[in-house]
Amino acid sequence: MVERIEDLNLPNAVIARLIKEALPDGSNVSKEARAAIAKAASVFAIFITSSSTALAHKQNHRTITAKDILQTLNELDFESFVPSLTQDLEVYRKMVKDKKESKANNKKDASTGDATASSSSAVVVADSEEAA
Amino acid sequence: MASEDLFRNDYSEEPDLGQEFQKDVEMSAEMAEHDTEDVEKSIGQNGTNSSPSVNQPAAKSPEQTKTTNGNKTSEHEHDGKLTQLPMGRIRNIMKLDPDLQIASNEAVFAVTKAVELFIESLAREAYTYTAQAKKKTIQKRDVDLAISAVDSLMFLDGALNF
């Protein structure tokens, strides 16, 4: 699944941006400090994942859900993350729903679009036959 | 003291979300805006008042062309806008857990967002030590100090020393 170990590193530029957003203007981060924070972030991701899987297994669930993640954060003293995460989740759910709907609409459009596309490719084939 | 800092609730995410919504509105009203843009341009050409209201649509137009350029790619951009970190990468990290069987997309999203919040709060926490030392640049030492000072960061103890 993971082919190279670098695939597990989080992108440096994004980490740098997130840190910068959190700090007052004019402050900076040394390379080593940024690397340490990035590593800490990966460890944090693994940490809450394994805690959430343990939680889900306790309830005989095979799939871990957003609810498991939120509950885990509460249990691990990161409850300050929960309110803003709950909000973000609502936005995410809405986005996924909208996407599904627009996809359904696109499918209708695509079926008509495909017809024109295939006819144009037929023209291309005819052209190349003429050329031959 | 310092630990309270970590749990502040004033994350700067909310304005971002606001922008997101704004963009949504902008995209849905794309056509309408194009019309008004044309109208406003023609007003500008008539040249009576070169007020900022004329300049604004002109400044906006590159952004609009970006969204109009391809509806397919703009959907992708939407994904990227909700989370700053790539969700695929986070999912790969999550899969390192051998006990994990299936993670719902929402769970991956929640972890991604949580990691973003974590980075911001750890940076803020570390910066308190930077400021104490009357410096402007966070050093590795400040991050280590922050980790050993906050109980909920105990899990990181020793994880960064290799």
Side-chain angles (χ1 to χ4, degrees), chain B residues 6-71:
Chain B
L6 182 66
F7 300 132
R8 274 193 314 210
N9 263 328
D10 56 339
Y11 297 111
S12 50
E13 293 297 291
E14 281 164 43
D16 271 1
L17 292 176
Q19 279 174 7
E20 190 68 29
F21 279 129
Q22 224 179 1
K23 209 175 181 188
D24 266 339
V25 174
E26 243 180 51
M27 280 174 71
S28 63
E30 229 172 273
M31 291 311 173
E33 268 186 47
H34 265 285
D35 288 347
T36 52
E37 197 189 336
D38 287 344
V39 172
E40 273 172 298
K41 257 185 196 160
S42 62
I43 291 173
Q45 279 163 0
N46 289 344
T48 39
N49 54 350
S50 53
S51 66
S53 69
V54 179
N55 290 338
Q56 237 173 6
K60 251 182 170 179
S61 64
E63 213 182 74
Q64 278 179 357
T65 47
K66 213 192 274 173
T67 46
T68 38
N69 260 350
N71 280 329

Side-chain angles (χ1 to χ4, degrees), chain B:
Chain B
M1 41 149 263
S3 61
E4 276 166 21
D5 261 0
L6 182 66
F7 300 132
R8 274 193 314 210
N9 263 328
D10 56 339
Y11 297 111
S12 50
E13 293 297 291
E14 281 164 43
D16 271 1
L17 292 176
Q19 279 174 7
E20 190 68 29
F21 279 129
Q22 224 179 1
K23 209 175 181 188
D24 266 339
V25 174
E26 243 180 51
M27 280 174 71
S28 63
E30 229 172 273
M31 291 311 173
E33 268 186 47
H34 265 285
D35 288 347
T36 52
E37 197 189 336
D38 287 344
V39 172
E40 273 172 298
K41 257 185 196 160
S42 62
I43 291 173
Q45 279 163 0
N46 289 344
T48 39
N49 54 350
S50 53
S51 66
S53 69
V54 179
N55 290 338
Q56 237 173 6
K60 251 182 170 179
S61 64
E63 213 182 74
Q64 278 179 357
T65 47
K66 213 192 274 173
T67 46
T68 38
N69 260 350
N71 280 329
K72 276 172 200 161
T73 52
S74 73
E75 262 176 43
H76 271 283
E77 277 170 18
H78 247 229
D79 260 354
K81 273 288 149 59
L82 269 190
T83 64
Q84 302 198 41
L85 291 167
M87 278 176 64
R89 199 69 66 91
I90 297 284
R91 185 182 278 278
N92 280 340
I93 292 175
M94 290 172 75
K95 277 187 195 152
L96 289 180
D97 180 1
D99 293 332
L100 176 75
Q101 289 174 312
I102 310 164
S104 72
N105 283 334
E106 282 183 11
V108 177
F109 175 79
V111 173
T112 308
K113 270 296 174 196
V115 170
E116 287 178 8
L117 293 175
F118 175 82
I119 291 169
E120 289 174 358
S121 54
L122 179 58
R124 259 188 235 119
E125 188 69 14
Y127 189 72
T128 60
Y129 296 96
T130 316
Q132 267 175 32
K134 298 205 161 51
K135 298 272 168 53
K136 285 271 178 194
T137 303
I138 297 182
Q139 300 297 335
K140 171 110 185 345
R141 184 193 73 104
D142 303 323
V143 180
D144 293 337
L145 282 172
I147 288 171
S148 46
V150 181
D151 280 350
S152 60
L153 299 180
M154 278 281 277
F155 73 94
L156 287 172
D157 233 17
L160 304 184
N161 300 330
F162 52 84

